[in-house]
C-alpha cells in the first residue's frame, strides 16, 4: 500500500485560500440577512485540505428564524467529512447553551482541526469564550480575517448588541434637481422599476421600516416586500405620529406600530390591532434616541427610514443616521409635474453637498437611476 502523502500548502497559498473561503462564508451568510430574528446572519464553510485540491465539504447559513446556527447546518452537511477540516465562520462560534449545545463544542466533537473567523461575537455569552473553548481543545484558531466586511454585513446585529440601538438606514429617492415630491400630489413615480425592486430587497433585509404620518396619509403606501416569492418577509412597520390616522389607508391597523407621545390620540387604531410605542417629546419633537433604544429592546437590529422629508431631516439633525441610500433619478421635477402648480418638497440632503463624514461605499446604475450608498464615519 502506498503511504498517503501529506499535502503541503505554502504560507502564501494558504493565506489566499483563507481569504477566498472566508469570502464564500460571508457571501453565504448573506442569503438569510434580515431573516434570522435577533440572531446575526452567519455563514460557515468547511474545507478539506487533505487532497491536492481543497474541497468544500459543508456550507451553512444561520437558518431563517435564527436556529439552527450556521455551523450546525454546515456540520450536518459534511457529516464524517468534517473530521480534519478547516472551518471558516463569519462570526466567532457561540459558547452558550441555547436550544442546542454551543457551536464551538459541535466543531470540537466533529473533529475540525482549524477554525478561521472574521469577527469576535460581542454577545456577552460568547465574547471570546467560543475561541477559547476551541483553543482549549487544541484547535488552531485565527480570528479577524475580512473583519471589516463582516462588520459591515452584520451592522444591525453589532449596533444592537454593542450600542443598544438598531442600525439606521435612511433611504431617499429624488429627482435630478433634488426634489422628493410635491405637496398634495401623493406618490410621484420618481425612480424606475429596478430601483423599486432594490428598495424592496432592502426592506426584506431590514427588521423594520419607519415612516412619518404625513407620508402615510399623503402617499398611502403599502411598505411591503413585493418581490415574487418573498412577500412573507415584509418587515415590521412603525409610523411616527402624534395625531390619529384616518381609517381608509392601504396599511391595515394590525400591520403597524404607532409611535407617539399620546396613546389616547391613537385609541381607535389601537382598538383595531395597532401596536403603540410611547415616546417622550423634547422641544416639541419625539425623542428618536429613546425610540431607538426601545426598538433595540424589542429585538430590532436594523431600521430602514423611508421618509418623508421631515422625518428624514429629523433623523439627520439628531445625528442618528448610520447609512444613507440616495436614489437619483434622471428626470427633473418639471418633467413629472407642472412645477408652477405645486409646492415642491426638497430633499434634506444632496449627493453633491454632503458632509465629509459620509463615505461613499457603493454606487450603482439602476435603469435610468443612480444609487449611492454612504456610511457615516463618526471618527472621520
Ligand atoms: C453562532 N452561529 O449562526 C449564530 C450565532 O438565541 P440563540 O441561542 O440562538 O443565541 C443567539 C446568539 O448566538 C446571538 O446573540 C449570537 O451571539 C449567536 N449567534 N452564533 O455560533 C450562528 N447566528
Ligand atoms: Zn452557535
Amino acid at each position: 500500500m502506498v503511504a498517503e502523502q501529506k499535502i503541503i500548502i505554502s504560507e502564501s497559498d494558504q493565506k489566499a485560500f483563507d481569504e477566498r473561503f472566508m469570502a464564500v462564508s460571508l457571501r453565504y451568510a448573506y442569503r438569510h440577512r434580515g431573516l434570522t430574528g435577533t440572531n446575526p446572519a452567519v455563514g460557515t464553510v468547511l474545507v478539506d485540505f487533505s487532497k491536492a485540491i481543497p474541497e468544500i465539504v459543508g456550507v451553512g447559513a444561520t437558518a431563517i428564524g435564527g436556529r439552527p446556527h450556521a455551523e450546525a447546518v454546515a456540520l450536518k452537511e459534511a457529516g464524517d467529512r468534517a473530521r480534519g477540516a478547516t472551518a471558516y465562520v463569519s462570526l466567532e462560534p457561540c459558547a452558550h447553551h441555547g436550544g442546542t449545545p454551543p457551536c464551538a463544542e459541535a466543531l470540537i466533537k466533529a473533529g475540525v482541526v482549524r477554525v478561521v473567523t472574521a469577527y469576535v461575537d460581542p454577545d456577552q455569552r460568547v465574547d471570546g469564550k467560543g475561541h477559547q473553548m476551541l483553543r482549549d481543545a487544541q484547535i488552531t484558531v485565527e480570528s479577524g480575517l475580512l473583519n471589516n466586511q463582516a462588520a459591515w454585513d452584520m451592522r444591525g446585529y453589532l449596533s444592537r448588541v454593542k450600542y443598544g440601538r438598531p442600525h439606521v438606514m435612511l433611504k431617499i429617492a429624488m429627482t435630478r434637481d433634488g426634489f422628493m415630491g410635491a405637496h398634495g400630489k401623493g406618490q410621484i413615480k420618481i425612480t424606475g422599476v429596478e430601483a423599486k425592486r432594490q428598495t424592496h430587497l432592502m426592506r426584506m433585509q431590514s427588521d423594520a421600516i419607519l415612516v412619518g404620518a404625513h407620508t402615510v396619509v399623503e402617499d398611502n403606501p403599502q411598505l411591503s416586500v413585493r418581490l415574487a416569492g418573498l412577500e412573507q418577509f415584509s418587515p415590521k412597520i412603525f409610523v411616527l405620529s402624534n395625531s390619529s390616522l384616518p381609517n381608509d389607508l392601504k396599511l391595515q391597523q394590525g400591520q403597524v406600530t404607532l409611535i407617539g407621545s399620546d396613546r389616547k390620540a391613537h385609541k381607535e387604531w389601537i382598538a383595531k390591532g395597532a401596536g403603540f410605542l410611547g415616546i417622550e417629546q423634547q422641544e416639541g419633537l419625539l425623542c428618536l434616541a429613546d425610540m431607538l433604544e426601545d426598538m433595540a429592546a424589542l429585538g430590532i437590529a436594523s431600521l430602514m427610514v423611508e421618509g418623508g422629508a421631515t422625518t428624514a431631516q429629523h433623523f439627520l439633525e439628531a445625528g442618528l443616521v448610520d447609512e444613507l441610500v440616495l436614489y437619483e433619478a434622471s428626470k427633473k421635477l418639471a418633467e413629472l409635474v407642472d412645477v408652477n402648480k405645486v409646492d415642491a418638497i426638497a430633499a434634506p440632503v444632496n449627493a453633491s453637498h454632503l458632509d465629509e463624514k459620509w463615505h461613499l461605499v457603493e454606487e450603482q446604475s439602476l435603469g435610468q437611476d443612480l444609487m449611492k450608498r454612504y456610511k457615516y464615519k463618526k471618527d472621520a
Side-chain angles (χ1 to χ4, degrees):
M1 207 171 95
V2 184
E4 220 175 276
Q5 219 183 330
K6 184 153 172 41
I7 302 292
I8 313 251
I9 300 172
S10 73
E11 214 174 289
S12 64
D13 279 356
Q14 186 65 60
K15 196 165 169 269
F17 278 133
D18 285 351
E19 279 194 10
R20 280 172 62 184
F21 287 123
M22 183 57 87
V24 176
S25 181
L26 291 178
R27 199 64 204 166
Y28 211 74
Y30 207 85
R31 74 174 19 208
H32 290 161
R33 215 175 119 195
L35 309 179
T36 53
T38 53
N39 241 314
V42 177
T44 300
V45 176
L46 294 166
V47 181
D48 174 3
F49 278 100
S50 69
K51 312 264 165 49
I53 299 173
E55 187 187 346
I56 293 181
V57 293
V59 288
T62 311
I64 291 174
R67 280 273 174 178
H69 284 180
E71 297 90 322
V73 177
L75 287 171
K76 190 169 176 211
E77 188 190 5
D80 289 344
R81 301 193 69 193
R83 192 155 299 282
T86 295
Y88 295 88
V89 195
S90 62
L91 183 71
E92 174 186 9
C94 66
H96 66 284
H97 285 260
T100 52
C103 289
E105 203 174 292
L107 291 164
I108 296 167
K109 271 203 180 138
V112 165
V113 293
R114 184 168 170 251
V115 176
V116 183
T117 67
Y119 209 89
V120 175
D121 187 350
D123 185 310
Q124 281 181 357
R125 296 167 296 176
V126 190
D127 201 13
K129 296 183 202 71
H131 285 150
Q132 196 52 49
M133 276 171 91
L134 295 165
R135 288 195 175 107
D136 289 347
Q138 319 306 322
I139 291 174
T140 308
V141 177
E142 279 152 58
S143 176
L145 184 62
L146 304 189
N147 61 336
N148 284 337
Q149 183 63 46
W152 180 242
D153 291 352
M154 292 186 289
R155 52 199 182 277
Y157 171 72
L158 297 179
S159 177
R160 182 175 67 77
V161 176
K162 285 178 150 178
Y163 311 120
R165 68 176 194 83
H167 173 92
V168 176
M169 184 249 273
L170 170 64
K171 181 224 112 185
I172 295 178
M174 63 180 105
T175 58
R176 184 152 59 89
D177 46 350
F179 294 101
M180 289 173 74
H183 289 290
K185 278 277 158 193
Q187 277 196 54
I188 297 176
K189 247 178 133 213
I190 294 176
T191 47
V193 67
E194 296 86 352
K196 185 176 139 193
R197 288 196 184 124
Q198 189 178 58
T199 305
H200 284 222
L201 198 64
M202 293 193 305
R203 283 179 181 170
M204 187 185 104
Q205 291 174 339
S206 305
D207 292 331
I209 303 177
L210 179 144
V211 288
H214 192 72
T215 296
V216 170
V217 175
E218 284 247 334
D219 293 4
N220 198 10
Q222 294 179 59
L223 302 173
S224 54
V225 173
R226 292 189 298 285
L227 296 170
L230 301 174
E231 297 87 347
Q232 75 270 33
F233 298 127
S234 294
K236 289 191 176 68
I237 299 167
F238 288 92
V239 179
L240 279 182
S241 179
N242 258 333
S243 49
S244 61
L245 291 174
N247 281 312
D248 53 350
L249 298 172
K250 284 189 191 148
L251 281 179
Q252 301 294 302
Q253 284 86 354
Q255 288 177 288
V256 302
T257 299
L258 302 164
I259 303 173
S261 54
D262 179 12
R263 189 185 179 93
K264 284 199 294 297
H266 298 297
K267 63 179 191 304
E268 246 188 87
W269 268 59
I270 295 170
K272 288 185 178 161
F276 181 73
L277 191 61
I279 303 291
E280 299 276 307
Q281 291 204 41
Q282 273 173 7
E283 292 163 24
L285 287 174
L286 289 171
C287 183
L288 296 180
D290 289 356
M291 177 200 76
L292 292 178
E293 265 182 39
D294 289 355
M295 284 185 174
L298 293 171
I300 290 162
S302 53
L303 178 69
M304 178 167 171
V305 178
E306 284 217 51
T310 314
T311 300
Q313 181 129 26
H314 189 176
F315 270 87
L316 285 163
E317 278 171 3
L320 292 170
V321 181
D322 304 299
E323 182 183 343
L324 187 57
V325 176
L326 300 182
Y327 287 99
E328 205 182 280
S330 59
K331 292 196 168 124
K332 290 189 170 181
L333 187 66
E335 296 171 68
L336 303 169
V337 288
D338 182 351
V339 284
N340 297 315
K341 291 191 184 153
V342 297
D343 185 5
I345 304 169
V349 281
N350 202 301
S352 52
H353 14 66
L354 271 183
D355 185 306
E356 59 183 22
K357 291 200 170 178
W358 289 107
H359 288 235
L360 185 67
V361 290
E362 195 186 345
E363 196 170 0
Q364 258 179 32
S365 268
L366 291 156
Q368 300 294 304
D369 311 319
L370 193 64
M371 184 278 276
K372 290 182 178 168
R373 191 188 299 270
Y374 299 85
K375 175 178 168 178
Y376 191 77
K377 289 214 174 145
K378 291 187 182 68
D379 47 0

